[in-house]
């Protein structure tokens, strides 16, 4: 009997982020508040209370200056406005996926569309989403999808992040049929989708399914419902001490999954307890005859066998497989790593699964191989990865005709150039030695041919990053980005999966003709959001610090009569403009460029030239400055007369 644990069991990104924010805030502030439970898990909430995250029954308990961590499910718009109105500091731990749905619902209503939410109306996430619009429609499933208003106006359909996919898709089909103008946004969380898919697969294999999570948790409840569709014995528990031996009677395979609000520690405890309960059941159910037969099991070449490591020498590993024959593994059949030692791979007492290479009944020994079984398992994992679209990791080993080769657990995977994630015509040899993530798209075990795609994983990662950016973007928010491309009118900056444009006028306070004067492709750039359009997916970014007033900088530094080194930025027929400080230019009139009459400014000056000038006048109201080179070249007429009077 064995226990199978779902790969995605436990905290999702949004829950983990909320818990970490609450812990960090409690440490920084010396104690903070949460409105209701931060997440749906009693044990986590109790732990946060011990760290100083107190629960407020209502806003009336809070006073100006208090810090409140907004729970992962989000809060209503009205609650947030009340908190801000009281001068309460907010740390928004709302899941980015939930925030995105709030924005979509508000935008839909602003466009004259009716927001339709598929989910549990009593759930705090759904209640919060509904508060961001005036007249939303909420349906728990397809049986409720019927409203005259929905037929008369355009509708925008979204789903609770933990909604069961079948309920959402069935509801959408009905809405699409009844409404002439319906738009759908698939807002079921990616992690939820994966968790529900894994639970369904696991439940189909298991005799018993255990689902761990708080009974108030919607996603845990949905996991339980999904498991019951494929498994007749499903138990939802909150902690390990709720497990009973009767759960596993007659069971050969037990499955374990957990809701998104269940911490890893509780999952580990349940897994360990399940293993112990199953062993106890097995011991009770095994008859003396079965135990006797097991002690004299027959070994056959080509079969898998599990044993316990009893001894290790420099050349072999001895294994007790519970048979009459003694069994061993040659070091050459233990691992592919020539630099490894046997004791680096296994330890005495370890349980090890192997492949039977040869049985010699006459001499009473069996030769085993771990390496061959590992190879078989790798191929099984590769084939399973195609069905489940699992992301795998490997190392690029070589450039091949038309693509690259990635080693995934010792298996050569060919990745076509079009799926390498690199631009067309890029030098793929530069990827050699890099660790990459990819999906297996094709397997032919007989021909030992495996094809994969790096691009699909990169695209999915980028889409997730883009959704997070759009869910949390706001005017004034700052990002550290990378310059991706340049044009004559500005630069495009990647702020984490989304490109925004910095206009040339926003790159510098100084006058520049091209962006290349201040940056280049690949540069890291600190930017902030000036404006954004979610529908057109356009973002306008700035670099200049508008908290700094260049004119005030000039006034603080210079006065009439001061000398300054300035840069000529523009030549006109009547004179030249020169930059005194970044963002502030002054005029050198043509009569003040030289101590002689000149026809045009370019006879003496050129753009970009640094010259010394005297500040002769400042018009504060019109913010204009008069400069003079001539005043520094020779004494004025008045100064000459005064000098003569002194000599007399």
């Amino acid at each position: 009997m064995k226990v199978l644990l779902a790969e995605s069991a436990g905290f999702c990104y949004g829950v983990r982020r909320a818990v970490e924010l609450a812990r960090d805030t409690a440490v920084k502030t010396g104690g903070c508040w949460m409105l209701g439970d931060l997440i749906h898990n009693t044990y986590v909430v109790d732990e946060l209370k011990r760290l100083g995250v107190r629960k407020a029954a209502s806003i009336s308990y809070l006073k100006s200056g208090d810090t409140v961590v907004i729970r992962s499910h989000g809060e209503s718009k009205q609650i947030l406005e009340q908190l801000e109105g009281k001068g309460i500091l907010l740390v928004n731990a709302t899941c980015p996926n939930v925030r995105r749905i709030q924005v979509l619902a508000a935008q839909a209503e602003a466009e004259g569309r009716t927001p339709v939410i598929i989910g549990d109306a009593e759930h705090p996430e759904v209640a919060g989403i509904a508060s961001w619009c005036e007249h939303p429609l909420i349906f728990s499933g397809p049986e409720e999808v019927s409203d005259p208003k929905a037929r008369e106006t355009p509708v925008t359909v979204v789903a609770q992040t933990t909604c069961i996919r079948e309920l959402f898709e069935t509801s959408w089909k009905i809405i699409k049929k009844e409404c002439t103008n319906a738009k759908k946004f698939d807002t079921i969380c990616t992690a939820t989708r994966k968790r529900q898919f894994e639970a369904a697969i696991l439940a189909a294999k298991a005799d018993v399914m255990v689902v761990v999570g708080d009974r108030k948790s919607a996603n845990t409840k949905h996991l339980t419902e999904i498991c019951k569709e494929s498994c007749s014995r499903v138990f939802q528990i909150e902690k390990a001490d709720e497990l009973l031996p009767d759960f596993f009677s007659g069971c050969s395979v037990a499955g374990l999954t957990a809701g998104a609000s269940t911490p890893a520690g509780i999952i580990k405890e349940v897994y360990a307890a399940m293993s112990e309960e199953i062993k106890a059941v097995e011991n009770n159910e095994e008859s003396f005859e079965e135990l006797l037969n097991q002690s004299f099991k027959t070994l056959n070449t080509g079969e898998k066998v599990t044993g316990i490591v009893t001894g290790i020498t420099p050349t072999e590993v001895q294994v007790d497989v519970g048979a009459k024959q003694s069994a061993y593994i040659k070091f050459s059949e233990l691992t592919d790593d020539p630099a490894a030692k046997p004791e680096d791979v296994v330890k005495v007492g370890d349980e090890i699964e192997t492949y039977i290479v040869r049985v010699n009944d006459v001499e009473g020994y069996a030769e085993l191989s771990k390496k061959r079984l590992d190879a078989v398992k790798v191929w099984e994992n590769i084939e399973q990865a195609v069905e489940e679209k699992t992301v795998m990791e490997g190392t690029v080993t070589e450039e091949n005709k038309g693509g690259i080769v990635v080693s995934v657990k010792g298996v050569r995977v060919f990745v076509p150039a079009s799926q390498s994630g690199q631009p067309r015509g890029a030098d793929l040899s530069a990827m050699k030695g890099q660790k990459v993530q990819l999906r297996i798209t094709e397997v032919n075990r007989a021909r030992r041919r495996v094809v994969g795609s790096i691009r699909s994983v990169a695209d999915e990662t980028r889409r997730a990053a883009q959704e997070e950016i759009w869910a949390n973007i706001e005017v004034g928010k700052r990002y550290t980005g990378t310059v991706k491309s340049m044009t004559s009118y500005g630069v495009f900056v990647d702020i984490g999966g989304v490109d925004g444009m910095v206009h040339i006028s926003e790159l510098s306070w100084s006058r520049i003709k091209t962006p290349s004067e201040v940056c280049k492709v690949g540069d890291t750039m600190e930017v902030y959001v000036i404006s954004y359009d979610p529908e057109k997916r356009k973002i306008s970014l700035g670099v200049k610090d508008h908290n700094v007033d260049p004119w005030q900088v000039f006034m603080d530094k210079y006065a009439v009569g001061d000398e300054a080194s300035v840069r000529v930025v523009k030549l006109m027929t009547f004179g030249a403009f020169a930059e005194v400080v970044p963002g502030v230019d002054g005029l050198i009139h043509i009569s003040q460029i030289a101590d002689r009459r000149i026809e045009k400014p370019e006879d003496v000056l050129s753009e970009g030239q640094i010259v010394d000038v005297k500040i002769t006048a400042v018009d504060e109201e019109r913010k204009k400055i008069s400069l003079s080179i001539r005043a520094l070249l020779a004494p004025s007429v008045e100064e000459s007369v005064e000098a003569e009077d002194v000599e007399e």
Side-chain angles (χ1 to χ4, degrees):
M1 194 183 300
K2 57 184 177 180
V3 181
L4 302 178
L5 174 62
E7 184 180 340
S8 302
F11 278 1
C12 66
Y13 164 75
V15 169
R16 184 180 296 106
R17 172 176 172 271
V19 173
E20 289 174 355
L21 276 173
R23 287 171 177 163
D24 292 345
T25 304
V27 172
K28 290 176 183 176
T29 61
C32 58
W33 296 87
M34 56 183 169
L35 288 176
D37 292 341
L38 187 78
I39 66 171
H40 279 160
N41 190 281
T42 304
Y43 306 101
V44 176
V45 170
D46 289 344
E47 180 204 349
L48 291 174
K49 287 179 184 175
R50 289 192 291 272
L51 293 174
V53 186
R54 292 161 291 177
K55 184 162 66 172
S58 71
I59 296 178
S60 61
Y61 283 84
L62 305 172
K63 61 182 182 298
S64 178
D66 283 343
T67 300
V68 172
V69 182
I70 302 301
R71 58 187 171 181
S72 60
H73 292 306
E75 283 291 354
S76 71
K77 184 179 180 182
Q78 295 78 12
I79 291 291
L80 295 177
E81 289 173 348
Q82 288 178 42
L83 290 170
E84 290 177 346
K86 289 190 69 170
I88 293 166
L89 304 176
L90 302 183
V91 176
N92 201 337
T94 303
C95 171
N97 292 321
V98 176
R99 180 62 190 133
R100 175 181 174 240
I101 306 173
Q102 293 173 348
V103 171
L104 288 171
Q107 287 176 351
E109 198 157 74
E111 295 167 0
R113 307 178 69 87
T114 298
V116 175
I117 308 167
I118 306 299
D120 180 359
E122 301 300 320
H123 195 279
E125 176 191 319
V126 175
I129 294 166
S131 73
W132 289 83
C133 38
E134 294 294 331
H135 304 290
L137 296 176
I138 304 173
F139 302 130
S140 62
E143 65 281 354
E144 292 186 10
V145 178
S146 179
D147 193 295
K149 183 181 177 183
R151 302 189 191 99
E152 297 167 4
T153 62
V155 298
T156 295
V157 184
V158 296
Q160 184 177 346
T161 54
T162 55
C163 183
I164 296 176
R165 172 151 298 282
E166 185 180 351
L167 290 180
F168 181 55
E169 295 296 346
T170 307
S171 300
W172 165 246
K173 286 180 182 178
I174 297 171
I175 294 170
K176 188 177 180 183
K177 185 177 180 181
E178 291 192 359
C179 301
T180 56
N181 187 343
K183 185 189 295 185
K184 178 183 78 166
F185 288 93
D186 187 348
T187 55
I188 298 176
C189 172
T190 304
T192 297
R193 275 185 253 171
K194 185 178 180 184
R195 192 186 310 273
Q196 292 177 354
F197 175 76
E198 288 178 2
I201 296 296
L202 203 55
K205 297 177 181 178
D207 302 310
V208 174
M209 276 298 297
V210 175
V211 183
V212 188
D214 196 288
R215 289 184 174 84
K216 298 188 295 293
S217 167
N219 71 82
T220 304
K221 176 184 174 184
H222 290 159
L223 284 176
T224 303
E225 292 170 356
I226 289 168
C227 290
K228 285 181 178 179
E229 292 177 4
S230 305
C231 183
S232 59
R233 296 163 65 188
V234 179
F235 303 97
Q236 182 181 337
I237 64 171
E238 292 190 349
K239 53 185 179 177
D241 59 14
E242 294 180 28
L243 290 171
L244 298 174
D246 291 347
F247 288 0
F248 308 104
S249 177
C251 167
S252 59
V253 177
L256 172 60
T257 187
S261 302
T262 309
I266 290 181
I267 299 172
K268 288 179 181 178
E269 288 178 5
V270 173
Y271 183 85
M274 284 177 67
S275 300
E276 290 301 318
E277 292 288 357
I278 287 171
K279 284 181 182 177
V281 171
E282 285 180 330
N283 290 337
N284 289 334
E285 291 181 352
E286 283 179 332
S287 65
F288 174 77
E289 183 180 359
E290 288 172 334
L291 292 171
L292 186 63
N293 289 337
Q294 186 180 19
S295 67
F296 293 104
K297 74 168 79 168
T298 303
L299 301 182
N300 298 304
T301 300
E303 290 182 347
K304 296 177 187 178
V305 64
T306 300
I308 304 296
V309 176
T310 57
I312 300 174
T313 73
T315 58
E316 67 181 36
V317 173
Q318 294 150 11
V319 182
D320 180 2
V321 294
K324 293 181 291 184
Q325 300 92 338
S326 60
Y328 71 94
I329 308 170
K330 291 180 181 177
F331 181 64
S332 60
E333 292 296 324
L334 185 65
T335 176
D336 278 321
D337 187 356
K341 297 177 181 178
E343 57 268 25
D344 295 332
V345 182
V346 292
K347 300 285 188 294
V348 172
D350 283 356
E351 186 177 86
I352 186 170
E353 191 175 13
T354 62
Y355 177 85
I356 302 173
V357 178
R358 188 160 63 97
V359 178
N360 190 323
D361 288 325
V362 176
E363 298 184 14
Y365 70 83
E367 187 177 333
L368 311 175
S369 172
K370 180 178 183 296
K371 191 167 72 174
R372 297 190 197 184
L373 183 60
D374 288 345
V376 171
K377 283 185 174 180
V378 167
W379 278 100
E380 289 175 351
N381 290 340
I382 292 286
E383 290 174 336
Q384 187 177 10
V386 177
E387 296 177 10
E388 299 181 1
K389 298 182 179 180
T390 308
V391 176
M392 306 193 80
E393 188 172 81
T395 303
V396 179
T397 57
E398 61 183 274
E399 179 186 9
N400 206 341
K401 184 178 180 181
I404 56 175
V405 174
V406 180
S407 176
V408 178
K409 297 181 179 180
V411 174
R412 286 167 55 88
V413 180
F414 173 66
V415 178
S418 62
Q419 297 300 314
S420 67
Q422 300 297 310
R424 185 189 297 270
D427 180 15
L428 298 182
S429 63
M431 296 183 68
K432 189 173 180 180
Q434 290 184 11
K435 284 194 175 297
V436 295
Q437 290 188 318
L438 72 165
R439 276 198 176 87
I440 307 301
T441 57
E442 179 186 335
V443 176
N444 188 322
R445 193 165 176 179
R447 296 177 58 190
R448 303 185 70 80
R449 172 182 167 81
V450 185
V451 181
S453 171
I454 298 171
R455 177 181 169 184
S456 66
V457 178
D459 287 349
E460 183 176 299
T461 303
R462 185 175 180 83
R463 281 195 298 272
Q466 289 174 343
E467 291 304 325
E468 185 168 353
I469 290 285
W470 283 109
N472 295 283
I473 195 168
E474 55 188 32
V475 172
K477 190 165 186 177
R478 295 187 172 272
Y479 296 94
T480 299
T482 304
V483 178
K484 301 297 288 184
S485 62
M486 307 175 71
T487 68
S488 60
Y489 53 84
V491 300
F492 287 92
V493 179
D494 182 348
I495 58 173
V498 177
D499 289 351
M501 205 274 279
V502 183
H503 192 268
I504 189 170
S505 63
E506 285 292 331
L507 280 171
S508 172
W509 283 113
S510 300
R511 288 197 191 190
I512 58 174
K513 289 186 176 180
T514 64
S516 59
E517 293 180 39
V518 294
C519 63
K520 62 182 184 298
V521 173
D523 280 357
T524 297
M525 186 175 285
E526 298 294 326
V527 297
Y528 64 92
V529 178
I530 295 176
S531 63
Y532 61 95
D533 187 334
E535 286 192 3
K536 295 181 179 179
R537 294 274 165 156
K538 289 185 177 181
I539 303 174
S540 177
L541 302 172
V543 175
K544 293 192 307 190
D545 186 355
H546 287 274
N547 292 322
V548 177
D549 182 355
W551 180 259
Q552 191 59 49
V553 172
F554 165 76
M555 293 296 292
D556 291 342
K557 188 174 182 180
Y558 294 106
V560 174
D562 287 352
E563 296 179 14
S565 289
V566 300
R567 180 172 63 90
V568 178
V569 294
K570 193 171 185 180
L571 298 173
M572 308 293 288
T573 56
F574 53 84
F577 286 100
E579 182 183 71
V580 185
V581 297
V584 177
D585 296 344
L587 173 65
I588 311 171
H589 192 269
I590 190 169
S591 64
Q592 298 299 312
I593 291 177
D595 55 2
R596 65 186 187 282
R597 183 180 177 83
I598 61 174
E599 294 296 325
K600 49 187 182 297
E602 50 262 43
D603 291 342
V604 178
L605 301 175
S606 59
E607 290 187 7
Q609 182 179 352
I610 304 297
V611 294
D612 291 330
V613 298
K614 186 174 184 178
I615 300 172
T616 57
V618 175
D619 184 340
E620 291 189 43
E621 185 176 344
R622 299 168 66 192
K623 294 187 177 181
K624 290 189 175 183
I625 305 168
S626 296
L627 307 173
S628 174
I629 298 173
R630 180 179 176 182
L632 299 178
L633 296 177
S636 64
V637 174
E638 291 79 8
E639 288 173 338
S640 298
V641 172
E642 289 174 4
E644 289 172 5
D645 290 342
V646 171
E647 288 175 5
E648 290 176 1

